[in-house]
Amino acid sequence: MERQKSLSLKPTTLLVFSFTIFSSTLFLSIFTIWLIKSSPSLQNQTTLHLNTSSISSSSSINDTDNVSLNLQPLKFQSLTRFTKNFTVNGVKIPTLIDNQLSGLHNILTGSKSEDLTHHVVVVDVDVDDGSGLNFTAMEQENGTSSYESRVRNEKNKLVVANAVLKKIEEKKRVEECDLTKGYWVFDQSYPLYDKGSCPFIDEGFDCEGNGRLDRNYTKWRWKPKGCDIPRFNATKLLELIRGKRLVFVGDSINRNQWESMLCMLFGTIRDPKRVYETHGRRITKEKGNYCFRFLDYQCTVEYYVSHFLVHESKARIGQKRRPTLRIDAIDHGSSRWRGADILVFNTAHWWSHYKTKAGINYYQEGNFVHPRLNVSTALRKSLTTWSSWVDKHINPRKTQVFFRSSAPSHFRGGNWNSGGHCREAINPLNETLTTSYPEKDIMIEEIIKKMKTTVTLLNITSLSQYRIDAHPSMYGRKTQSSSIQDCSHWCLPGVPDTWNELLYYHLQSV
């Protein structure tokens, strides 16, 4: 009986088993159909690629030449909202809408992430050569079209990339590095040019041509503490000033720097005839205004003499007309400076009691000639006149303005006209002769801070104080018969080349 009962239950068991199999198959089929229908949202992905060898994943980037960021491609589910900044492995990347550099600066500083709307961004970074970034925005389209079909015109640029990041990083380095503190390093790869390759050095600065035999004074390179000055690249600077005017305005120390700049740029020109003075003038101490055109780059490098930056005039004092200085009126040659793209000013060398008649019946305001006025007071008034002119007449959107600080003199045993000399010096000083900052430079810094126009102080005073060896001394003329030595100006090649390397550094970083 037990066997018969067992056999009678078999059809029921088979029925239950069959129903179970059918139900499972049906469920799996329905689930599979649902899964397939919902798959477009998974397929509609956007990929962010970062390919770089020059961007550090650190939020603080100090060395653009030795940094790297290795990130694997990341995928985001289809995005319906938009952010100006998003984060990848702790590095915040801006989308740089409307070519705003402030957005790109977030690469260095970081910013708070926001939601994404309307657009997704593909970032293609390739800065192996240090040139910069390429940022591309892709507009997200509706439907299930492939990723490639959403790329409009292959890549719609939001910013021109190559130089932008490098400029921001260099500007950050300039702000963080004190270029005035450092030391001189002997470097056999210097000078950047030689006397024979440059026809623009006038007799007063041509120490080699005037009989100086040692060359060590040309082989020193300034090394700031904690950072480096990039080696001067004449081709890059000529590209920076292509179609522009680079203008130096000031006294003979600025002519010293201007001649240095001509020599540094001229070395990269293959055909010397492609560089000429627009009025056919030969550089001498007597003529004060020069304009050299570099035809291949359609740019000019100019110099305009202005000892005080304000107007040198004459006024009737007693029965005679005597020289005066109009400390309330800009130099009448200022019309030539207007329209320049880069302006480098200086004044300091002539602000002494000797050159200003000891301040007696010399300084003039309006029709009034001061019977006596302190040179510091007169300088401050003149710098205020200059700053007002710059604020009124210079367009900061067009023109970059620099003011070079004072260059030190190194007279020993007397002044320039009383037997002072520096002829024994053949090496830089181990320490500067003075630790105090010149009053003239303090004054210009104070005035610059009050100006509406951005003016960059090109501070060369401290680094130049070490270089007692680099003045013409007795080699400022072809014959050394005179007892007067030049310990104020500088041999070329020489220290003014370093001033121009600093200028080049700032121009790259603006």
Side-chain angles (χ1 to χ4, degrees):
M1 291 295 293
E2 287 295 323
R3 183 180 181 186
Q4 291 178 355
K5 184 177 180 181
S6 176
L7 291 173
S8 65
L9 293 174
K10 186 174 182 179
T12 305
T13 302
L14 182 60
L15 180 61
V16 172
F17 179 77
S18 299
F19 180 78
T20 301
I21 294 298
F22 174 78
S23 300
S24 298
T25 302
L26 180 62
F27 176 80
L28 288 174
S29 299
I30 294 172
F31 179 78
T32 301
I33 293 171
W34 175 84
L35 187 62
I36 291 174
K37 289 182 177 181
S38 63
S39 63
S41 63
L42 297 177
Q43 296 172 358
N44 186 21
Q45 295 176 335
T46 302
T47 305
L48 172 70
H49 295 279
L50 280 87
N51 301 315
T52 179
S53 62
S54 299
I55 303 180
S56 173
S57 58
S58 169
S59 60
S60 176
I61 302 177
N62 294 321
D63 189 352
T64 58
D65 295 326
N66 298 285
V67 292
S68 62
L69 177 64
N70 297 315
L71 297 177
Q72 298 298 323
L74 302 182
K75 293 187 176 182
F76 294 85
Q77 298 290 336
S78 68
L79 305 174
T80 58
R81 307 189 69 194
F82 178 74
T83 183
K84 291 183 178 179
N85 302 294
F86 53 89
T87 305
V88 181
N89 284 10
V91 181
K92 299 186 177 180
I93 309 294
T95 60
L96 303 177
I97 301 301
D98 297 327
N99 295 335
Q100 295 298 316
L101 297 182
S102 58
L104 183 55
H105 187 63
N106 291 332
I107 293 176
L108 304 176
T109 60
S111 64
K112 185 177 180 180
S113 298
E114 303 171 8
D115 291 336
L116 295 166
T117 67
H118 303 309
H119 292 75
V120 293
V121 174
V122 173
V123 183
D124 184 10
V125 184
D126 186 5
V127 287
D128 290 346
D129 61 354
S131 59
L133 300 177
N134 287 318
F135 285 84
T136 310
M138 307 303 174
E139 183 174 344
Q140 184 176 4
E141 300 175 352
N142 294 326
T144 60
S145 60
S146 65
Y147 172 79
E148 290 78 7
S149 67
R150 297 197 301 274
V151 180
R152 293 188 174 182
N153 297 324
E154 192 170 355
K155 285 186 177 181
N156 295 320
K157 286 188 176 180
L158 289 179
V159 292
V160 176
N162 283 341
V164 175
L165 179 61
K166 186 174 181 180
K167 284 185 177 181
I168 289 179
E169 290 176 345
E170 286 177 345
K171 184 174 182 180
K172 180 179 174 67
R173 286 192 300 171
V174 170
E175 293 171 349
E176 292 180 349
C177 178
D178 187 349
L179 301 175
T180 66
K181 295 180 179 179
Y183 44 89
W184 289 93
V185 178
F186 193 80
D187 190 333
Q188 286 286 4
S189 69
Y190 278 66
L192 299 170
Y193 58 93
D194 57 56
K195 187 259 181 186
S197 68
C198 182
F200 308 122
I201 304 174
D202 75 53
E203 181 184 2
F205 311 142
D206 186 8
C207 299
E208 180 182 347
N210 294 334
R212 183 168 181 174
L213 299 179
D214 69 287
R215 300 288 180 271
N216 283 353
Y217 68 92
T218 69
K219 296 184 178 297
W220 294 92
R221 171 174 56 86
W222 178 248
K223 174 68 175 70
K225 294 179 181 178
C227 58
D228 288 301
I229 302 172
R231 188 178 179 88
F232 186 87
N233 187 312
T235 302
K236 285 187 177 180
L237 182 54
L238 283 167
E239 286 293 348
L240 280 174
I241 64 173
R242 180 183 287 275
K244 298 180 179 180
R245 296 175 60 204
L246 169 56
V247 174
F248 292 81
V249 179
D251 56 32
S252 56
I253 307 294
N254 236 22
R255 181 167 57 85
N256 216 167
Q257 184 179 358
W258 167 75
E259 288 183 25
S260 162
M261 177 62 79
L262 283 178
C263 291
M264 294 168 79
L265 295 177
F266 185 72
T268 197
I269 303 299
R270 295 182 179 179
D271 184 359
K273 294 180 181 179
R274 306 288 290 175
V275 180
Y276 63 91
E277 208 285 320
T278 56
H279 296 93
R281 293 173 177 170
R282 179 177 172 270
I283 299 175
T284 68
K285 294 175 64 175
E286 285 71 32
K287 294 185 176 65
N289 301 323
Y290 300 94
C291 175
F292 276 82
R293 178 171 294 278
F294 288 73
L295 277 177
D296 294 335
Y297 295 88
Q298 290 299 306
C299 65
T300 57
V301 182
E302 308 168 38
Y303 167 71
Y304 298 99
V305 63
S306 182
H307 301 123
F308 301 99
L309 300 182
V310 290
H311 182 50
E312 295 180 62
S313 182
K314 287 187 176 182
R316 183 171 295 280
I317 302 174
Q319 301 298 318
K320 297 182 178 180
R321 286 182 60 82
R322 300 181 182 276
T324 60
L325 189 65
R326 285 288 306 274
I327 56 180
D328 61 339
I330 198 70
D331 190 316
H332 286 185
S334 60
S335 59
R336 296 167 177 163
W337 319 338
R338 295 177 63 174
D341 298 277
I342 302 165
L343 274 168
V344 183
F345 291 99
N346 97 296
T347 188
H349 194 51
W350 282 57
W351 289 95
S352 66
H353 284 290
Y354 177 84
K355 290 182 180 291
T356 59
K357 317 298 181 188
I360 299 173
N361 294 323
Y362 185 69
Y363 300 116
Q364 180 180 355
E365 292 185 87
N367 294 322
F368 176 71
V369 178
H370 291 272
R372 181 184 294 272
L373 189 66
N374 179 273
V375 66
S376 296
T377 303
L379 174 59
R380 183 177 292 277
K381 287 177 176 288
S382 296
L383 289 174
T384 301
T385 298
W386 165 82
S387 65
S388 298
W389 180 88
V390 170
D391 281 340
K392 183 177 180 180
H393 295 285
I394 296 301
N395 181 359
R397 292 186 296 274
K398 171 182 170 59
T399 305
Q400 295 170 241
V401 183
F402 294 85
F403 198 104
R404 181 179 55 74
S405 65
S406 63
S409 298
H410 289 95
F411 289 100
R412 290 178 171 178
N415 209 331
W416 70 272
N417 58 348
S418 59
H421 65 87
C422 50
R423 60 179 174 269
E424 293 90 354
I426 58 173
N427 288 307
L429 296 168
N430 292 323
E431 58 183 8
T432 57
L433 296 176
T434 177
T435 57
S436 60
Y437 195 54
E439 180 188 11
K440 298 172 185 177
D441 296 323
I442 294 174
M443 205 176 294
I444 186 59
E445 285 191 24
E446 292 173 350
I447 288 173
I448 285 175
K449 289 178 181 178
K450 298 177 182 178
M451 295 175 65
K452 295 185 297 182
T453 306
T454 299
V455 176
T456 301
L457 181 68
L458 194 65
N459 194 333
I460 57 87
T461 305
S462 297
L463 64 92
S464 302
Q465 284 176 345
Y466 294 95
R467 297 305 308 276
I468 189 174
D469 60 312
H471 295 288
S473 183
M474 67 179 69
Y475 302 106
R477 59 186 62 83
K478 292 189 182 298
T479 60
Q480 287 84 52
S481 58
S482 173
S483 61
I484 296 179
Q485 294 191 24
D486 186 351
C487 302
S488 296
H489 297 94
W490 305 86
C491 298
L492 294 179
V495 170
D497 304 335
T498 298
W499 305 347
N500 282 322
E501 285 190 288
L502 294 180
L503 177 61
Y504 171 67
Y505 186 39
H506 284 287
L507 287 172
Q508 282 190 308
S509 310
V510 174

